[in-house]
Amino acid sequence: MFKVFVGIIILAIVIYGGILIYQQYLLRQLKTIDQQRQQLDIDGLDTAVAQVKTMSLTGKTLDQVQELLTDYTALNETRLPRLKAQLDQATGSAKQYRLLATRSNLKKAQDSLRVTQDAIAQLTDQIDELKQVDEQHKAAVKALEKKYQDLRKTLLAKNFMYGPSIDGLETELGTLEDDNDRFRELTSQGDHEKAAQLLAQLQKDTEHLEEMIEQIPPLYKNLETEFPAQISELQQGEATLSAQGFKYPEADMHDQIQGLNGEVKAGKDALTQLDMDKVQANDTALTNKIDHFYDTMEKEMGAKEKVTTNLDTLAKFIAHARNQNTLLTRELDRLNLNYTLDHQEVETAREFKEQIRNLDSAYQADIEAIQSNQAVYTQVLARQTQAEHDLQQIEEQQQTINTAVSGLVKEEQQARDTLQQFELRQHGLRRQVENLNLPGVSKTYLDYYNVVRDEIAKLNDDINQVQINMEEITKQLIMIQSDLDILAEKTTDLVDSAELSEQLIQYANRYRLTHDEVAKASQEAQRLFDQEFDYAKSLETIATVLDQVEPGSYKRLEDNYYHQKGTTKKPEPEAKEEQ
């Protein structure tokens, strides 16, 4: 029982100790919050609020300040006393060991402190912003006054540089000064919201005025001195050139130049109205037109010199082309009697003649225009340049045609000589075969021979027509040359096979009685020779058997044949050797 009692006492002591420790913790927390409360810059805020109260404020700015003062009053009369009361109540609860109530009041005090700190910071920021805006507006008033004074000095000292725009500029400046006075008034009254709106417009309008003051002098100088001087020079130049007989691509260029003074006046009117977009557009348009008129007159003067130089050269070129065309036409007419001209040479020459006639007509028209002072020299020069190009093309093409047809007579003679050679060669091949007194020739050889003979006959007929086509003749010559070469090879093969076959059949007689196979082969070879006229097959038949009976005999007899003939054996195709 005693031990239980002792345990209870110890437990009570521990609990009491814990309560004391927690009590001290809460009291320290409350003390910290109270210290933070006491550190709040209420005096600085009071001073700032007092300064705001002394400011003369109107409009929405006054409404904002009144709302600010209401918040300040609520802070002083409600928030701060409530925070103090919460701290006192929490401290009393802690001392009475009402720890749960103390903890609740501590939480409320912490929240109230945070809200109070935020409120003070917000009020301070609003007051600082208000004071800053007030200072900025006062500084802006002074800066604008200084700027307007400088602008007015510029306009007074350099009013000659602004011409008719000076009155408008001074009016604009006066309006800005009036607006600045209104801005100063709003600032002094403390209506900073309206003052800020007016300041933004003032700054925009001031920038626009400064831009005009900078832009106008060079524009006015152009309108007052540069453009009039250039227009006067253009008028004098145009009058002088017109008196000398110059004409221009633009028939109304004289009127256009005279109208430039009206555009100068329009530019000055726009300057008077300070319509800068119109003034800029007018300046650009006048600059471009004046440059264009200068350029036009310079081109016409330069073109006249070139045109004058080209007249004699072009006349000779046209005469040369006409003479060349006449000679070509005569030659084509003559050749057309005997030859077929199938590349439209005659038609092309006639087209060239018409082109030359048109070029000459244009040339004569330009001469008349120059003599009557109606010529636009740049246009004449362009026609001369094109005419020279066209004449050059015509000359080159006429030379090409002349070169192509000039060799027709020579080509015809060469073709006749070649035809004669073909006929002689054909007859020579025929005599080679006839001299052998063969029993006949194969149908294949005879057909090919007849084809070549007919080709030569057709060529002979075509070349003896009244009007011949040399292009077609040339094609026939090439074809016949190839076919004759093939016929010559076939003839050589036929002659060699026939003569060798006869020699081998005679040579084989020495073996006919002793070798039945030789007798049979000899009989078959003779049949192929006499009846089928297949001399190559006949040769192959007897040669094969002889080489079996007497190896090397065919090669010896063949070599001896070609030796006596004075030629060598034609190499056999590779495909045949492989077989």
Side-chain angles (χ1 to χ4, degrees):
M1 185 67 181
F2 177 76
K3 291 182 178 179
V4 173
F5 180 73
V6 171
I8 292 172
I9 292 174
I10 292 173
L11 178 61
I13 292 171
V14 171
I15 292 173
Y16 180 71
I19 291 172
L20 287 177
I21 292 172
Y22 188 58
Q23 179 195 44
Q24 293 303 312
Y25 168 75
L26 292 175
L27 288 172
R28 285 196 301 274
Q29 291 290 313
L30 291 170
K31 184 178 180 181
T32 300
I33 294 174
D34 190 51
Q35 289 174 347
Q36 291 177 346
R37 179 189 66 81
Q38 293 176 13
Q39 291 173 357
L40 293 173
D41 190 12
I42 300 300
D43 293 339
L45 183 61
D46 291 342
T47 302
V49 170
Q51 291 176 349
V52 170
K53 288 180 178 179
T54 61
M55 296 170 62
S56 298
L57 301 172
T58 59
K60 287 189 176 181
T61 305
L62 179 59
D63 295 338
Q64 293 172 355
V65 170
Q66 287 175 344
E67 184 178 347
L68 183 150
L69 293 175
T70 299
D71 293 340
Y72 171 73
T73 301
L75 175 67
N76 262 339
E77 296 180 359
T78 303
R79 295 185 186 278
L80 289 174
R82 182 191 302 139
L83 175 59
K84 181 67 170 62
Q86 288 171 341
L87 288 172
D88 291 343
Q89 186 178 1
T91 301
S93 297
K95 290 179 179 180
Q96 296 174 9
Y97 299 103
R98 294 165 56 195
L99 300 183
L100 293 177
T102 301
R103 182 180 177 184
S104 176
N105 289 329
L106 173 63
K107 180 67 170 62
K108 292 179 181 178
Q110 288 174 331
D111 292 341
S112 295
L113 176 64
R114 185 165 52 254
V115 171
T116 302
Q117 288 173 331
D118 291 344
I120 291 174
Q122 185 176 1
L123 285 170
T124 302
D125 290 343
Q126 290 176 344
I127 292 171
D128 289 344
E129 182 180 355
L130 184 62
K131 291 166 65 177
Q132 185 178 6
V133 169
D134 184 66
E135 292 173 358
Q136 288 176 347
H137 285 182
K138 289 178 180 178
V141 169
K142 294 180 180 179
L144 288 173
E145 286 179 348
K146 176 66 168 59
K147 181 171 290 187
Y148 296 152
Q149 289 174 2
D150 293 341
L151 291 176
R152 187 165 293 282
K153 288 179 181 178
T154 298
L155 293 179
L156 288 173
K158 300 179 180 179
N159 61 350
F160 62 91
M161 298 174 62
Y162 296 92
S165 68
I166 189 66
D167 292 339
L169 292 173
E170 289 179 345
T171 299
E172 289 283 328
L173 180 56
T175 300
L176 290 176
E177 289 173 333
D178 292 341
D179 289 342
N180 192 41
D181 290 341
R182 174 61 179 158
F183 172 61
R184 183 193 305 107
E185 182 181 351
L186 290 173
T187 300
S188 63
Q189 291 175 354
D191 192 349
H192 293 298
E193 184 168 346
K194 282 188 177 180
Q197 295 174 356
L198 181 57
L199 176 60
Q201 187 62 44
L202 266 172
Q203 290 173 335
K204 180 179 178 181
D205 293 343
T206 301
E207 288 178 2
H208 179 60
L209 178 62
E210 288 177 323
E211 289 176 358
M212 289 193 294
I213 289 175
E214 181 180 357
Q215 293 171 356
I216 287 175
L219 294 172
Y220 174 64
K221 181 181 179 182
N222 283 345
L223 291 169
E224 184 64 20
T225 59
E226 296 294 331
F227 290 156
Q230 291 173 344
I231 293 170
S232 176
E233 187 176 35
L234 284 173
Q235 290 172 336
Q236 294 175 6
E238 190 275 332
T240 301
L241 292 180
S242 295
Q244 294 175 3
F246 280 90
K247 291 291 183 289
Y248 307 99
E250 301 164 76
D252 63 341
M253 198 173 89
H254 172 80
D255 295 336
Q256 290 187 48
I257 293 175
Q258 297 301 322
L260 292 177
N261 286 319
E263 295 188 38
V264 170
K265 183 179 182 304
K268 289 182 177 180
D269 291 342
L271 196 59
T272 301
Q273 301 299 322
L274 298 183
D275 188 346
M276 296 308 298
D277 289 340
K278 191 172 182 179
V279 173
Q280 291 279 12
N282 175 271
D283 183 85
T284 300
L286 275 169
T287 299
N288 291 338
K289 288 182 179 180
I290 289 172
D291 289 345
H292 168 68
F293 293 140
Y294 272 119
D295 186 57
T296 298
M297 287 190 281
E298 288 175 2
K299 285 182 177 179
E300 290 303 321
M301 288 188 291
K304 180 180 181 180
E305 182 178 351
K306 294 179 181 178
V307 165
T308 303
T309 302
N310 290 343
L311 287 175
D312 185 57
T313 302
L314 187 58
K316 292 179 179 178
F317 205 164
I318 292 173
H320 168 72
R322 184 187 292 111
N323 181 62
Q324 184 189 46
N325 181 262
T326 300
L327 295 175
L328 177 62
T329 301
R330 288 175 183 173
E331 180 65 9
L332 290 175
D333 289 342
R334 184 184 67 81
L335 292 172
N336 199 35
L337 297 174
N338 299 319
Y339 302 98
T340 300
L341 303 176
D342 51 4
H343 293 288
Q344 289 77 47
E345 290 89 348
V346 175
E347 293 79 0
T348 302
R350 289 172 182 165
E351 291 175 1
F352 289 156
K353 181 179 180 180
E354 182 64 19
Q355 289 184 39
I356 295 168
R357 188 186 68 79
N358 292 336
L359 290 172
D360 184 54
S361 297
Y363 173 80
Q364 296 301 330
D366 286 337
I367 291 291
E368 292 178 5
I370 292 171
Q371 292 175 346
S372 61
N373 291 331
Q374 297 300 314
V376 178
Y377 285 103
T378 51
Q379 295 176 355
V380 174
L381 180 60
R383 285 192 290 272
Q384 287 182 339
T385 302
Q386 185 61 47
E388 289 177 357
H389 175 269
D390 293 344
L391 288 168
Q392 184 66 37
Q393 294 292 315
I394 291 172
E395 180 178 30
E396 292 175 0
Q397 293 180 51
Q398 289 190 146
Q399 288 176 349
T400 300
I401 293 173
N402 185 67
T403 300
V405 301
S406 62
L408 287 175
V409 175
K410 184 178 180 181
E411 289 177 12
E412 179 189 358
Q413 186 57 49
Q414 290 176 343
R416 290 184 181 278
D417 293 343
T418 303
L419 172 60
Q420 186 177 12
Q421 293 172 10
F422 287 166
E423 290 174 338
L424 291 174
R425 190 177 181 189
Q426 177 201 1
H427 294 153
L429 294 174
R430 180 175 179 176
R431 283 196 301 273
Q432 285 185 46
V433 176
E434 290 176 344
N435 288 340
L436 295 178
N437 294 316
L438 297 173
V441 293
S442 67
K443 185 176 184 303
T444 302
Y445 176 84
L446 186 60
D447 288 344
Y448 199 86
Y449 177 86
N450 290 334
V451 167
V452 176
R453 181 197 61 193
D454 292 343
E455 288 176 351
I456 294 174
K458 182 179 184 305
L459 174 60
N460 185 63
D461 182 65
D462 289 347
I463 207 170
N464 286 296
Q465 296 293 318
V466 174
Q467 188 181 55
I468 63 176
N469 187 331
M470 282 308 303
E471 186 171 343
E472 182 62 30
I473 295 295
T474 301
K475 292 179 181 178
Q476 292 184 48
L477 288 171
I478 295 172
M479 180 181 65
I480 294 172
Q481 179 67 62
S482 175
D483 291 346
L484 261 177
D485 290 341
I486 295 173
L487 180 61
E489 290 182 7
K490 290 180 177 294
T491 301
T492 299
D493 290 343
L494 184 149
V495 170
D496 291 344
S497 296
E499 290 192 338
L500 278 171
S501 179
E502 283 185 322
Q503 289 183 20
L504 264 65
I505 290 173
Q506 291 177 3
Y507 186 81
N509 287 335
R510 67 183 64 188
Y511 296 109
R512 292 186 66 176
L513 297 177
T514 57
H515 294 78
D516 290 340
E517 65 273 21
V518 174
K520 285 183 179 181
S522 180
Q523 184 178 359
E524 176 62 17
Q526 193 66 51
R527 187 189 69 79
L528 291 170
F529 191 97
D530 294 336
Q531 297 177 18
E532 296 188 14
F533 318 131
D534 191 346
Y535 305 113
K537 184 66 175 176
S538 175
L539 174 61
E540 181 183 0
T541 300
I542 192 63
T544 301
V545 173
L546 277 177
D547 263 349
Q548 293 174 356
V549 175
E550 184 183 342
S553 58
Y554 171 64
K555 181 68 169 61
R556 186 182 72 256
L557 292 171
E558 183 185 47
D559 290 344
N560 184 60
Y561 167 77
Y562 284 114
H563 177 72
Q564 291 179 357
K565 186 179 179 182
T567 61
T568 57
K569 181 182 178 182
K570 182 180 69 174
E572 295 183 0
E574 293 182 4
K576 189 172 182 180
E577 290 177 357
E578 291 174 358
Q579 293 176 354

